Amino acid sequence: MSDIKRCGTVSLLGRPNVGKSSIMNALIGEKVAIVSPKPQTTRNRIIGVLTEGDSQFVFMDTPGLHSPQSKLGDRMVRTIYETADEVDAALLVIEAKGDARIGKPEEKLINRLKSLELPVILVINKIDITEKLSILPWIDVYSKAYPFKEIIPVSAKTGEGLDDLTKSLRELLPEIEEGASPLFGEDELTDQPERVIAAEFVRERLLWHLEKEIPHGIATLTENFEDNQGVAEVAVVIVCEKMSHKGIIIGKGGSMLKTIGSEARTEMEKLFGCRVYLTLYVRVKDDWRNSDYMLKEFGY
């Protein structure tokens, strides 16, 4: 019988680049969601599981709320709202940057949360690069906008405030009925298959190395994932929208592709706990972000 007494789902909501994925990774202690400085890094709902003491937290990382410019963007925004509708509690993540005010993305999310009457903790991230006194006006503005259960400043980078966040969040988790099981096994970290994680790790490295509009027009798909005597043989296809982008992704003499492959392989080996043999291919699919067939193919 499980020792878990509380278990619930928690969505991470906010605009792009406030650090939702970084917070989730830091809370569970493993990298299961990719991170980059580019907006819209997260495209799907990503589940991360933290089982600690008698509690299991099922975090649902979501894309940053933005104004969509394609069918892909439409699906990302729909994912945000659908996730908010399904969870037991939510974290609204912001950063105290500039003048203290509630922006349009946050206003939309707060209105949705009000309609759901959801218990919410406001998380002010990146306090490692923020003057402590500058946080106070943000607390004042947001505390007037929604009856947050708590307002907790944190740093996903240093870990400051994360213990306080976990303690406060535990009180919002539903109690499990006697004899019932938690949503996940105690050693599970995510619901993502390894082949999905592999493709995402490749896309992450592309986001870090490519500039301007190219990263937003890229998708990755694992075509092959086999365990061959303790070595994971992985083949990932990189899809871009223009032939000129393909040349940039490959790089002179294949240099860019080699860098992407080497860095992605390192990330895979850390998480999978085995050697990885990674092969990358690059293909062009014009305007795939507006193709229902292609979006389904890529899992969006």
Side-chain angles (χ1 to χ4, degrees), residues 1-2 15 43 71 98 100 104 107 112 123 133 137 161 183 186 188 214 216 268:
M1 181 180 292
S2 172
R15 67 169 64 207
R43 289 176 172 173
K71 286 187 177 181
K104 288 184 178 180
E107 184 179 357
R112 185 61 166 244
V123 180
L133 289 178
L183 294 172
E186 295 188 20
E188 291 184 84
I214 299 177
H216 301 295
M268 292 178 206

Side-chain angles (χ1 to χ4, degrees), residues 7-300:
C7 176
T9 52
V10 183
S11 61
L12 290 94
L13 307 171
R15 67 169 64 207
N17 291 118
V18 292
K20 299 182 296 298
S21 300
S22 296
I23 289 173
M24 186 177 77
N25 289 339
L27 285 169
I28 69 174
E30 290 286 354
K31 182 177 178 180
V32 297
I34 65 171
V35 295
S36 88
K38 303 289 194 307
Q40 287 101 59
T41 296
T42 301
R43 289 176 172 173
N44 274 325
R45 179 173 68 185
I46 307 294
I47 288 180
V49 183
L50 169 65
T51 302
E52 184 176 84
D54 65 353
S55 302
Q56 184 174 94
F57 307 80
V58 180
F59 295 105
M60 296 187 177
D61 187 19
T62 63
L65 185 60
H66 63 287
S67 298
Q69 306 295 321
S70 65
K71 286 187 177 181
L72 172 61
D74 290 337
R75 295 188 183 201
M76 290 165 64
V77 171
R78 188 166 66 242
T79 295
I80 299 167
Y81 290 127
E82 288 175 350
T83 302
D85 292 348
E86 297 170 359
V87 295
D88 298 305
L91 304 179
L92 178 59
V93 183
I94 66 168
E95 57 178 315
K97 184 178 181 181
D99 296 331
R101 63 184 183 86
I102 297 176
K104 288 184 178 180
E106 290 80 11
E107 184 179 357
K108 289 180 180 179
L109 289 169
I110 286 173
N111 288 336
R112 185 61 166 244
L113 294 169
K114 283 180 178 177
S115 70
L116 298 170
E117 298 183 348
L118 200 63
V120 184
I121 294 176
L122 180 69
V123 180
I124 304 176
N125 192 26
K126 305 184 183 181
I127 61 171
D128 54 301
I129 56 172
T130 307
E131 291 289 336
K132 296 296 188 286
L133 289 178
S134 69
I135 296 174
L136 297 178
W138 290 85
I139 294 176
D140 181 59
V141 167
Y142 273 86
S143 63
K144 295 174 181 176
Y146 191 86
F148 293 102
K149 295 297 183 180
E150 297 276 357
I151 297 179
I152 303 178
V154 307
S155 168
K157 185 176 182 180
T158 68
E160 184 178 355
L162 294 182
D163 286 342
D164 292 335
L165 177 57
T166 307
K167 289 176 184 176
S168 296
L169 195 53
R170 181 189 180 278
E171 301 305 315
L172 304 183
L173 299 181
E175 293 185 1
I176 296 180
E177 294 182 7
E178 188 174 350
S181 300
L183 294 172
F184 289 88
E186 295 188 20
D187 59 347
E188 291 184 84
L189 297 174
T190 183
D191 68 335
Q192 297 181 94
E194 289 181 333
R195 61 189 303 116
V196 172
I197 295 174
E200 282 288 274
F201 279 161
V202 172
R203 188 167 69 85
E204 178 189 55
R205 303 326 304 167
L206 290 160
L207 286 165
W208 277 96
H209 286 284
L210 300 176
E211 297 299 328
K212 298 181 180 179
E213 81 280 4
I214 299 177
H216 301 295
I218 285 176
T220 50
L221 180 68
T222 299
E223 283 200 336
N224 183 64
F225 195 113
E226 294 181 8
D227 184 355
N228 187 3
Q229 296 182 337
V231 178
E233 297 184 356
V234 185
V236 175
V237 175
I238 300 167
V239 174
C240 58
E241 292 184 313
K242 299 179 181 179
M243 189 61 69
S244 59
H245 293 174
K246 179 178 180 179
I248 295 171
I249 293 166
I250 294 173
K252 186 176 181 180
S255 58
M256 177 63 78
L257 204 60
K258 289 177 183 176
T259 298
I260 299 300
S262 176
E263 294 179 2
R265 184 180 67 251
T266 298
E267 294 289 348
M268 292 178 206
E269 290 178 342
K270 286 179 185 176
L271 187 62
F272 300 158
C274 67
R275 288 177 55 209
V276 173
Y277 180 78
L278 176 63
T279 305
L280 299 178
Y281 304 93
V282 185
R283 297 173 187 161
V284 179
K285 298 287 184 182
D286 185 50
D287 200 30
W288 67 263
R289 283 179 286 181
N290 285 305
S291 165
D292 291 327
Y293 171 79
M294 293 302 299
L295 291 172
K296 184 178 180 180
E297 187 78 4
F298 295 130
Y300 298 132

